[in-house]
Amino acid sequence: GSGFMSQPQPPVDADLNTSLLATLSPLNLLRSLSHELRTPLAAILGWTEWLLESPLEVRQTDEGIRHIRSAAEKMLRLLDDYYDLARFDDEGATTTGATDLLVTLRRICHGLDLVAQQRHQTLRIEAEEQIPSRSVSSALRQALWLSVRHLLCAAPEGATVTIRPDVTTSPPQLVVSSDQELSETTDSGG
C-alpha cells in the first residue's frame, strides 16, 4: 500500500545533537503548545463575539456553534497530546536517562494504543529481532512519540501503522508507514 517513510533520522544514540535537545526542552514545548492553542482559541473568541453581537439566522448560529466546537476539540486534542508526551517521558525518567530502542518502541505502541483504538487503527512493530540494541535519550524518546502520534492522526480510520527497521541503510533507520493514504489537513477551527 501507499505509505509514509520517515525522513532520514540521525543515528539512534544517547549523544543526540543539541538542536534536537533544544527543540524538545520543556520551555520550547510550552512555547509550541501556547502557539498551537492560540489559533483555535482565536477562532472560538471570534465566533462567540460574532454570535453575541450580530442578529443571526438559525443556520448561521448553528454554523458558528459547529466552528466553536471544532476549535475546542482541537484544543483538547493538543492538550491530550502534550499530557501524554509528558506522562510518557515521566515514566521513562523513572527507569534510566537512556532506554533501549526496542523497549522505547514497545512503550510508545502501548502508550498510543488507546489513540489507535479510538480510530479503529492498528499500531505494530515489525521485525523486532532486526531492531538494533541502541540507547535512546529522553529527547529521542519524545521525538519518536511525537512522530508516531502524528502519523496516527494523519492516517485514516482503520489504518494499520507499522514501525520497522530498514537494515539496508547504514546506520539502520526506522521506517514508520501506513497501509492507507495519509491525509494532512489542518483545521484552524475558523
Side-chain angles (χ1 to χ4, degrees):
S2 63
F4 165 83
M5 185 163 163
S6 63
Q7 295 296 320
Q9 300 296 318
V12 180
D13 285 320
D15 297 328
L16 191 62
N17 67 43
T18 53
S19 66
L20 180 58
L21 290 171
T23 302
L24 295 172
S25 73
L27 181 58
N28 281 338
L29 287 173
L30 184 59
R31 284 181 186 144
S32 175
L33 176 62
S34 173
H35 174 75
E36 290 182 47
L37 288 175
R38 287 179 189 276
T39 301
L41 186 56
I44 289 171
L45 292 172
W47 277 102
T48 53
E49 184 176 322
W50 189 55
L51 290 170
L52 289 172
E53 294 180 0
S54 305
L56 302 172
E57 296 176 14
V58 173
R59 182 188 58 77
Q60 292 171 315
T61 301
D62 288 348
E63 179 184 357
I65 290 171
R66 277 193 304 277
H67 282 288
I68 290 169
R69 182 179 184 149
S70 172
E73 287 171 347
K74 181 177 182 175
M75 291 174 69
L76 282 175
R77 282 190 306 271
L78 286 168
L79 290 171
D80 285 346
D81 287 350
Y82 279 88
Y83 174 77
D84 288 345
L85 177 61
R87 190 186 75 216
F88 175 75
D89 199 45
D90 282 348
E91 290 171 2
T94 60
T95 56
T96 62
T99 311
D100 183 71
L101 177 59
L102 182 56
V103 170
T104 297
L105 293 174
R106 286 177 177 158
R107 287 185 55 233
I108 288 171
C109 287
H110 177 72
L112 291 174
D113 190 48
L114 183 59
V115 172
Q117 285 178 9
Q118 290 171 346
R119 303 193 65 213
H120 308 288
Q121 295 170 324
T122 303
L123 180 58
R124 65 186 180 150
I125 303 171
E126 281 186 355
E128 288 187 9
E129 69 282 354
Q130 294 180 0
I131 295 177
S133 180
R134 297 260 177 99
S135 183
V136 178
S137 69
S138 174
L140 189 52
R141 280 195 309 267
Q142 291 175 353
L144 287 167
W145 173 279
L146 290 171
S147 297
V148 174
R149 177 72 166 96
H150 176 75
L151 186 61
L152 282 172
C153 292
E157 287 198 21
T160 296
V161 174
T162 304
I163 303 169
R164 67 173 175 77
D166 179 359
V167 293
T168 63
T169 61
S170 181
Q173 304 282 316
L174 286 177
V175 177
V176 183
S177 61
S178 172
D179 66 341
Q180 297 183 31
E181 197 68 36
L182 302 179
S183 65
E184 191 60 41
T185 59
T186 55
D187 176 14
S188 64

